[in-house]
Amino acid sequence: MSTETKAVAGRDASRIHNIGYRSYDGPRLGRAYARRSLFSQTLRGSFGLGRSAKSKVLPMLLFGVMALVAAILVAVSMAAPDATKLVVKYTSYAIYLQAVIGLFIAAQAPQAVSRDLRFKSVPLYFSRPIEHADYVVAKFAATASALFILTGAPLLILYVGSLLAKFDFADQTKWFGQGLVSVALLSVLFAGLGLVMAALTPRRGFGVAAVIALLTITYGAVSTVQAIAWETGSEGAVQWLGLFSPITLIDGVQTAFLGATSAFPGGEGPGAGVGVVYLLVVLALVAGSYAVLMRRYRRVGL
């Protein structure tokens, strides 16, 4: 084959064909739309919506347990003779059902972030137009919103039931509002801690175990040491020990500021002075969780 023939063959092999691709001329929806889409996708996914039927079983079962227990408590309160209030306080409900809440966040926090890490799709999010802060804020807000729905819906059932039972409207409304503030704070704290633990590993199973360990082991250890301190006459140490577990932190804050009855040994929760320390620790953990997530996704998004 001559040199001229080879040159012609080379040009034919490298020819660019127009196969009909067209440039996008529509509106650019931008970061805000991407952030909202990521938020709604994560929130829906927390309850298995838009996913397989198998993925819906656990979150819907846990939501059903939370709602069913509230309905039973309403029925018991209405059946009690001369009852003037519910048999459980709004602020105590999440404390009593903390195991259900912990299982929910342990299952759904890895679902929110671990799959993106495992399948290495995080850099695709940051290609454009979304940024690291958009991703973290959307995931954080969606997970906290899912927890708020899980914990707030039973309180709404209790509130509606109390009004149907014709309990005092002003008192029930006040206590219901206090309960909502409490579970909102719990939702933000648990969402931050759960996402941090889940984001440390792309393996969903490890993430589930880490979240359960953080919420369950710390509470068990703190409760045990508090009981020992109470029995040995060190009542003053009980309220300070509560700083070392997420659920006891929430207990302390709502006892100090929301008129709740403490679940600490002897019912001796912190006063307003120590309660400020509890609140500052909660806010520091939330801010710290956000900072850790930002640092984590700056690294994996490269």
Side-chain angles (χ1 to χ4, degrees):
M1 182 179 294
S2 65
T3 303
E4 182 178 356
T5 303
K6 289 181 179 180
V8 173
R11 288 197 298 270
D12 291 341
S14 61
R15 182 180 301 167
I16 298 175
H17 298 274
N18 181 3
I19 57 176
Y21 288 124
R22 299 174 59 185
S23 60
Y24 177 72
D25 298 324
R28 300 288 180 178
L29 299 178
R31 290 173 56 192
Y33 179 82
R35 192 164 50 238
R36 289 195 302 270
S37 298
L38 190 58
F39 169 84
S40 62
Q41 179 191 37
T42 304
L43 179 58
R44 285 167 51 84
S46 296
F47 293 97
L49 302 178
R51 299 168 61 198
S52 65
K54 180 181 177 181
S55 301
K56 295 179 176 66
V57 174
L58 181 60
M60 290 302 179
L61 178 62
L62 296 177
F63 182 84
V65 169
M66 295 287 290
L68 179 60
V69 173
I72 292 173
L73 292 174
V74 167
V76 171
S77 301
M78 295 176 69
D82 302 323
T84 59
K85 59 182 180 180
L86 295 167
V87 296
V88 64
K89 286 189 173 183
Y90 294 96
T91 48
S92 300
Y93 192 83
I95 303 296
Y96 292 151
L97 275 78
Q98 59 177 288
V100 178
I101 300 170
L103 186 57
F104 180 87
I105 186 63
Q108 301 311 317
Q111 184 274 329
V113 295
S114 294
R115 292 193 305 168
D116 290 341
L117 295 172
R118 183 177 181 182
F119 296 110
K120 305 184 184 304
S121 58
V122 174
L124 298 178
Y125 285 111
F126 301 145
S127 59
R128 67 178 187 182
I130 199 171
E131 296 184 1
H132 298 81
D134 298 321
Y135 182 89
V136 172
V137 168
K139 292 290 184 177
F140 204 140
T143 305
S145 298
L147 278 171
F148 184 72
I149 292 172
L150 179 77
T151 55
L155 300 189
L156 181 60
I157 294 173
L158 292 174
Y159 179 63
V160 172
S162 69
L163 297 183
L164 293 176
K166 299 183 179 179
F167 297 155
D168 184 82
F169 175 79
D171 286 343
Q172 294 300 322
T173 302
K174 174 186 175 182
W175 296 335
F176 175 58
Q178 292 173 339
L180 287 181
V181 172
S182 174
V183 297
L185 193 60
L186 179 148
S187 299
V188 175
L189 176 62
F190 277 35
L193 295 176
L195 288 175
V196 166
M197 300 307 294
L200 294 178
T201 174
R203 306 294 297 183
R204 182 175 181 181
F206 292 159
V208 171
V211 175
I212 291 176
L214 176 65
L215 299 180
T216 304
I217 295 177
T218 56
Y219 175 72
V222 168
S223 298
T224 301
V225 178
Q226 282 180 322
I228 294 173
W230 177 262
E231 292 296 332
T232 56
S234 303
E235 293 87 353
V238 171
Q239 58 184 348
W240 295 107
L241 290 169
L243 294 170
F244 298 97
S245 167
I247 194 67
T248 53
L249 278 171
I250 299 299
D251 189 318
V253 170
Q254 66 182 19
T255 301
F257 302 113
L258 299 175
T261 300
S262 179
F264 290 0
E268 295 292 333
V274 180
V276 172
V277 179
Y278 271 72
L279 182 59
L280 291 176
V281 172
V282 170
L283 296 178
L285 285 174
V286 172
S289 298
Y290 175 79
V292 171
L293 288 171
M294 284 294 298
R295 181 178 175 84
R296 170 65 169 156
Y297 282 99
R298 284 196 183 99
R299 294 176 60 187
V300 301
L302 297 177

